C-alpha cells in the first residue's frame, strides 16, 4: 500500500508541474501579445513614434512627419494698394489724377520662400509701399512689417511732384494662399510740408 500511495503522490506532482507549465506558457503568450510594440512597423521621417503615432519635429507635419510645413506657403502674393492712397492727397494733386497712370506702383507683391532653417520663411517685398526682406517663424501666422521709406519720382508718370511714402505695419497669413496686411502710411509731396497719413488693409493672393 505504501508503494501505491507514493506512486499516486508522484503522479499528482507531475500533473501539477505540467499544469503550471501550461499556465505559465499561456500567460506569457498573452502578455507578449498585449505588450507588442505599436511603433514596430512605423518609421517617422522627422520625428519619433509614441503609441503608434508620429510626433513631428518642429517644422514638419504629416502622418510620418515627411512634409515641411513651410512649403505650402511658398509663392508670390499679389495685391492692389489703391486703398492706401489718401483721397486728400489726390485732391491736392489736382483731383483729376488718373490712378491707372501709375498702376505699376499700386500692384505690389511679396515673395515667400525658404528661410535659413526648416522653421523659417523668407519674405521679400520691393515696391513703393513695401520694401523689406526678413525671416518669419512658420509656426506663427502673423509677422511685423518694418518701417521703410520710398520716393516715387518717375517722369513717365506725369506727376507734378515726387511722392515719398513711409510705412510699417503687420501681416498675417489667412491661409496657404492669402495674406492680409494692415499698414500705417505717411505720404508726403514736395509742395506740402505736412504729410498725409493713411491706414489701410490690403489682401494679397497667391498667383
Amino acid at each position: 500500500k505504501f508503494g501505491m500511495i507514493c506512486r499516486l503522490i508522484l503522479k499528482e506532482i507531475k500533473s501539477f508541474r505540467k499544469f503550471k507549465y501550461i499556465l505559465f506558457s499561456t500567460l506569457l503568450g498573452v502578455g507578449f501579445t498585449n505588450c507588442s510594440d505599436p511603433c514596430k512597423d512605423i518609421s517617422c521621417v522627422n520625428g519619433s513614434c509614441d503609441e503608434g503615432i508620429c510626433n513631428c519635429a518642429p517644422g514638419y507635419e504629416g502622418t510620418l512627419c515627411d512634409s515641411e510645413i513651410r512649403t505650402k506657403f511658398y509663392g508670390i502674393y499679389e495685391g492692389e494698394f489703391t486703398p492706401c492712397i489718401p483721397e486728400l492727397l489726390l485732391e491736392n494733386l489736382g483731383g483729376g489724377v488718373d490712378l491707372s497712370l501709375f498702376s505699376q506702383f499700386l500692384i505690389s507683391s511679396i515673395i515667400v520662400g525658404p528661410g535659413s532653417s526648416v522653421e523659417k520663411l523668407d519674405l521679400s517685398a520691393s515696391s513703393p509701399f513695401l520694401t523689406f526682406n526678413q525671416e518669419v517663424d512658420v509656426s506663427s501666422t502673423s509677422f511685423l512689417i518694418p518701417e521703410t521709406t520710398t520716393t516715387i519720382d518717375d517722369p513717365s508718370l506725369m506727376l507734378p511732384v515726387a511722392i515719398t511714402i513711409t510705412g510699417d505695419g503687420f501681416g498675417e497669413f489667412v491661409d496657404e494662399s492669402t495674406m492680409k496686411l494692415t499698414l500705417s502710411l505717411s505720404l508726403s509731396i514736395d509742395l506740402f510740408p505736412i504729410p498725409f497719413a493713411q491706414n489701410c488693409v490690403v489682401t494679397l493672393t497667391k498667383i
Side-chain angles (χ1 to χ4, degrees), residues 93-151:
L93 289 174
V97 176
D98 185 358
L99 292 179
S100 65
L101 293 176
F102 54 112
S103 60
Q104 57 180 310
F105 293 106
L106 295 178
I107 301 296
S108 297
S109 61
I110 295 179
I111 300 174
V112 180
S116 60
S117 73
V118 72
E119 299 178 63
K120 299 288 186 179
L121 284 169
D122 180 79
L123 275 61
S124 177
S126 179
S127 73
F129 294 97
L130 294 172
T131 302
F132 66 89
N133 187 280
Q134 65 175 341
E135 286 193 331
V136 300
D137 292 329
V138 72
S139 59
S140 175
T141 58
S142 60
F143 55 91
L144 293 176
I145 298 173
E147 182 178 294
T148 59
T149 299
T150 306
T151 298

Side-chain angles (χ1 to χ4, degrees), residues 58-78:
Y60 294 95
E61 65 181 359
T63 304
L64 298 178
C65 305
D66 54 353
S67 299
E68 292 186 15
I69 297 174
R70 63 180 180 171
T71 58
K72 61 187 178 185
F73 296 103
Y74 292 172
I76 300 175
Y77 295 73
E78 189 175 273

Side-chain angles (χ1 to χ4, degrees), residues 31-71:
F32 273 115
T33 301
N34 292 337
C35 296
S36 61
D37 185 2
C39 295
K40 179 181 178 181
D41 299 320
I42 297 177
S43 178
C44 304
V45 181
N46 296 287
S48 58
C49 182
D50 182 23
E51 295 297 325
I53 298 175
C54 287
N55 294 323
C56 299
Y60 294 95
E61 65 181 359
T63 304
L64 298 178
C65 305
D66 54 353
S67 299
E68 292 186 15
I69 297 174
R70 63 180 180 171
T71 58

